[in-house]
Amino acid sequence: MLNDNDSELKKFHLFHSKPVFVPVILIIWLFIMCLYEYLTYTDSILPILAKKQPLEVILPIFNQLFVALFFLLGITNIIIAIRYAMIKDKVKESELAILAKETPADWHPKVELLYTTYNDFIPYALAQCLKQTYDNTQGVILDNSTDPKYIKMIDDFVIAHPNVKLVRDSQNKHAKAGNLNNYLCNGTHDYDYFVILDSDELLENRFVEKCLKMFYYNDIGILQCNHISGQNHNSFMRTFSSSGNIFWPVQNVVRSVEGGWLNKTVSGVSVGQTGGALCIELGHGVMISRECFEDIGQMPYAVAEDLCTSIEATLKGWNIKFASQIYGNEAFPVNMAALMIRSSKFCSANFEFFKKYSARIIKSKTISLYQKIDLFCFTLSVPISAFQYISLVITSIICPVLHIPLVTQLFMLLPTLVCYFSQSLVDTVFHLTNGMKFLDLLAYEVESMLLYGSFYFITVKSTVLALMNKPAKFIVTPKVNEHITFLHAIRNHYQGILFSIFTIIACIAISGSYWVLLSFIPGCFGFLFEMQANYLTSEEQAKADKLQSYSNKALQSGNTETVDWND
């Protein structure tokens, strides 16, 4: 849509800059790794070679691959946050300048809101999303549900909202991607853009209007919008939801700004400005143009269909950008079990993506070297806990048993700590900046360490299954919390508890590595957070009741009342 020769329009182009943060990361990372490699060579490799046991050299060298990865991911989290602090005001100013503009009166594209659901329909969420200031908007429910309760609920909603289309996928294949393709790739449609909604999605009322301005004044095919974690109605959700409010803008603003610009022409794709990072769409709260989707052909059949779609679009020459000033609202996972299911899905999905796309990404001339490195880091950031565990086994069990000399245990622990606490450090800085009291912050950090520290088992399990070529499976994150007793919590997490206890005993008995307590004590007690979702303050109970009442009202014909998207 954007004419590059039009100077008036170019003034309102989204802010972007030359690659900065990835080169800085690489410089810092290479400096640290040179130091580590020198010490590993002098303290480990030389003594091994002196004993004339060259095969044992493999273990410390293999472990250095993990050390390198831990430092790379840890440094990335810190540098990307610093970069965000440097550019966020310019990005906001650039976006607000575009949003203040008007689009031509004769430009009136049709936008469809595609609400995907599988036994998790939330009436109040869809009712609110439909309440847009832009009038040429069509709601479409894409339903894969098998539960009669949700099927009836959806039928009642369509009766109450006759302008909403309902499309059911009776075959229910390929999860979310199959649900979307069943509609988009079959029949004739008259949309110009579509928005993908998850079942708990809330959009601000000007969402569509704002997105269209971004498309009109920028040469983009996909626009991912910002999210806040709201609708939190129990103690677990309230405690841990704030991390997402930091992660979304920090990560995505930098990747959007440094994503470069592609020029798509009839003859092919040229790189207008080299990208230093890769901006991706995240599966919901995203608008995609019809031209972009039809050029891709379909949503790739993968668990991480959003990440795969982003690569397909980029390889085809379409620009993907992030809008920090256009908001959606999504609920944080309702309990610990839901959060672990989501983490497990992300882990297996990223391995599936890596297997399917690594060769194409490496060979691509559209994606720059810096973008490939950034994508590599992003893909491996989820299974990092499994890699940390492998490194722990090497340094604290295998090497001591074989009497292989290593650098001091504390020295080997440092890269793991840098990686583990890097995101926590970013959260700490932003929480303090936003006015969180120190004691509240301290309590939050301790709770986060205990919660996420108990995810080792599920991540290791997902990684092992992925490496054994077990297909990734799309599992819908549960949206409803059931009362969990102490015995139920132990029964749900006994494997993780035993896994942590065994690791602690083995490390202390074999190498005297008491520092493993830092990593695996959470796995012994983290299951207690399973019951935290049982507790609601009076305000949270009132909010839960309020949201339920809005769902009931959304099923009533003639009712126009909707929940405030900020709730």
Side-chain angles (χ1 to χ4, degrees):
M1 181 59 63
L2 180 65
N3 181 353
D4 284 336
N5 294 320
D6 191 330
S7 59
E8 177 64 21
L9 294 186
K10 286 183 71 176
K11 289 195 305 182
F12 297 97
H13 207 278
L14 280 168
F15 173 75
H16 61 281
S17 69
K18 294 181 179 181
V20 174
F21 95 92
V22 172
V24 170
I25 289 169
L26 292 178
I27 292 172
I28 296 174
W29 176 73
L30 287 172
F31 174 80
I32 294 176
M33 286 311 302
C34 285
L35 174 63
Y36 253 72
E37 295 308 319
Y38 171 76
L39 292 173
T40 300
Y41 178 75
T42 57
D43 292 7
S44 297
I45 296 178
L46 281 180
I48 294 173
L49 294 176
K51 294 191 300 180
K52 298 182 178 181
Q53 296 174 319
L55 291 179
E56 293 184 357
V57 173
I58 295 175
L59 276 175
I61 292 177
F62 182 62
N63 188 63
Q64 284 302 96
L65 298 177
F66 294 113
V67 170
L69 179 61
F70 301 155
F71 270 130
L72 183 59
L73 295 181
I75 294 168
T76 296
N77 285 333
I78 296 171
I79 298 300
I80 203 171
I82 295 173
R83 181 64 174 151
Y84 170 75
M86 294 170 60
I87 64 176
K88 63 177 182 178
D89 291 338
K90 290 182 179 180
V91 171
K92 180 178 180 180
E93 179 183 347
S94 171
E95 291 183 21
L96 292 179
I98 296 173
L99 297 179
K101 297 289 290 182
E102 296 296 332
T103 53
D106 60 350
W107 190 66
H108 201 230
K110 182 175 181 180
V111 179
E112 291 190 335
L113 305 179
L114 306 185
Y115 180 93
T116 60
T117 178
Y118 175 76
N119 295 333
D120 61 350
F121 181 64
I122 303 176
Y124 78 79
L126 180 54
Q128 194 284 323
C129 289
L130 295 171
K131 196 173 182 179
Q132 292 293 313
T133 56
Y134 184 76
D135 59 349
N136 197 13
T137 304
Q138 169 78 59
V140 184
I141 300 176
L142 305 181
D143 179 33
N144 271 355
S145 297
T146 56
D147 188 329
K149 178 182 70 172
Y150 288 103
I151 292 174
K152 182 180 185 306
M153 199 183 301
I154 293 169
D155 290 338
D156 291 343
F157 187 93
V158 174
I159 293 173
H161 302 80
N163 60 326
V164 174
K165 290 195 293 186
L166 171 60
V167 178
R168 285 200 162 104
D169 181 8
S170 58
Q171 294 184 347
N172 193 23
K173 291 183 178 180
H174 304 297
K176 186 176 180 179
N179 196 3
L180 288 164
N181 288 334
N182 178 64
Y183 173 68
L184 293 168
C185 300
N186 294 311
T188 57
H189 306 289
D190 61 349
Y191 72 88
D192 298 292
Y193 299 89
F194 63 86
V195 177
I196 301 176
L197 306 175
D198 275 356
S199 63
D200 58 348
E201 190 90 30
L202 297 181
L203 301 180
E204 59 171 308
N205 294 342
R206 294 184 60 207
F207 184 93
V208 172
E209 174 191 342
K210 287 182 175 182
C211 286
L212 288 177
K213 290 184 178 183
M214 290 293 184
F215 274 92
Y216 186 81
Y217 289 107
N218 292 276
D219 183 19
I220 55 178
I222 299 177
L223 182 70
Q224 176 62 58
C225 298
N226 206 347
H227 269 74
I228 57 175
S229 292
Q231 310 169 65
N232 302 313
H233 48 78
N234 65 44
S235 179
F236 180 84
M237 301 170 81
R238 170 173 45 83
T239 300
F240 299 107
S241 63
S242 60
S243 60
N245 297 338
I246 296 171
F247 180 86
W248 270 77
V250 169
Q251 295 281 327
N252 295 311
V253 163
V254 175
R255 289 197 164 88
S256 181
V257 167
E258 300 209 0
W261 285 94
L262 300 173
N263 298 321
K264 186 175 178 61
T265 63
V266 175
S267 59
V269 180
S270 64
V271 180
Q273 178 178 309
T274 303
L278 196 67
C279 187
I280 63 173
E281 64 106 341
L282 300 167
H284 57 108
V286 57
M287 182 179 281
I288 303 177
S289 72
R290 180 171 187 153
E291 292 88 347
C292 177
F293 176 75
E294 291 183 346
D295 195 19
I296 296 171
Q298 66 176 19
M299 299 291 178
Y301 290 125
V303 174
E305 90 293 332
D306 47 2
L307 180 56
C308 297
T309 299
S310 301
I311 298 301
E312 295 288 355
T314 301
L315 294 175
K316 290 283 189 178
W318 292 96
N319 290 305
I320 305 173
K321 293 299 171 182
F322 178 78
S324 66
Q325 302 303 306
I326 306 177
Y327 286 93
N329 184 322
E330 61 172 345
F332 192 77
V334 69
N335 54 33
M336 182 178 177
L339 183 60
M340 295 185 79
I341 287 173
R342 190 178 72 171
S343 297
S344 176
K345 179 177 70 174
F346 287 168
C347 184
S348 58
N350 281 12
F351 272 109
E352 178 189 45
F353 164 79
F354 200 74
K355 292 177 183 177
K356 286 187 174 183
Y357 282 89
S358 58
R360 291 178 63 189
I361 291 170
I362 292 171
K363 295 177 182 178
S364 172
K365 295 181 180 179
T366 305
I367 302 175
S368 73
L369 174 62
Y370 289 153
Q371 287 176 315
K372 293 173 184 178
I373 294 173
D374 176 59
L375 188 59
F376 172 78
C377 290
F378 180 84
T379 305
L380 294 181
S381 62
V382 178
I384 190 62
S385 294
F387 300 146
Q388 289 173 344
Y389 186 78
I390 295 172
S391 179
L392 171 76
V393 170
I394 291 173
T395 59
S396 295
I397 297 179
I398 299 178
C399 286
V401 167
L402 298 177
H403 303 291
I404 297 175
L406 285 174
V407 186
T408 63
Q409 290 289 340
L410 182 60
F411 195 74
M412 297 305 297
L413 174 64
L414 181 60
T416 303
L417 293 177
V418 169
C419 183
Y420 186 84
F421 287 105
S422 58
Q423 186 59 51
S424 176
L425 176 62
V426 173
D427 289 352
T428 297
V429 172
F430 280 91
H431 281 314
L432 288 174
T433 303
N434 294 330
M436 180 180 282
K437 295 180 180 179
F438 178 77
L439 291 179
D440 293 337
L441 176 63
L442 183 61
Y444 167 77
E445 294 295 348
V446 171
E447 289 174 321
S448 295
M449 183 184 71
L450 290 172
L451 174 69
Y452 292 105
S454 64
F455 279 39
Y456 269 102
F457 173 74
I458 192 66
T459 307
V460 171
K461 179 181 177 181
S462 299
T463 300
V464 170
L465 292 175
L467 293 175
M468 293 174 62
N469 290 322
K470 181 174 181 180
K473 185 177 181 180
F474 190 101
I475 304 175
V476 176
T477 304
K479 304 295 191 302
V480 179
N481 179 61
E482 298 180 356
H483 187 82
I484 300 293
T485 65
F486 181 79
L487 290 179
H488 282 145
I490 292 180
R491 188 179 305 135
N492 291 341
H493 297 277
Y494 78 92
Q495 291 177 319
I497 296 171
L498 294 176
F499 176 82
S500 299
I501 292 174
F502 171 79
T503 301
I504 291 172
I505 293 174
C507 289
I508 292 177
I510 293 173
S511 63
S513 301
Y514 289 92
W515 54 264
V516 299
L517 296 173
L518 290 172
S519 296
F520 290 94
I521 281 293
C524 301
F525 300 101
F527 74 94
L528 295 172
F529 286 105
E530 188 77 88
M531 297 178 291
Q532 190 176 5
N534 296 335
Y535 303 106
L536 289 73
T537 65
S538 57
E539 292 82 4
E540 288 166 344
Q541 182 63 62
K543 186 172 185 177
D545 294 341
K546 180 181 177 182
L547 293 177
Q548 182 58 54
S549 70
Y550 275 117
S551 277
N552 295 336
K553 292 176 181 178
L555 299 175
Q556 300 172 9
S557 298
N559 181 70
T560 58
E561 187 176 6
T562 55
V563 65
D564 184 345
W565 79 276
N566 285 293
D567 282 0

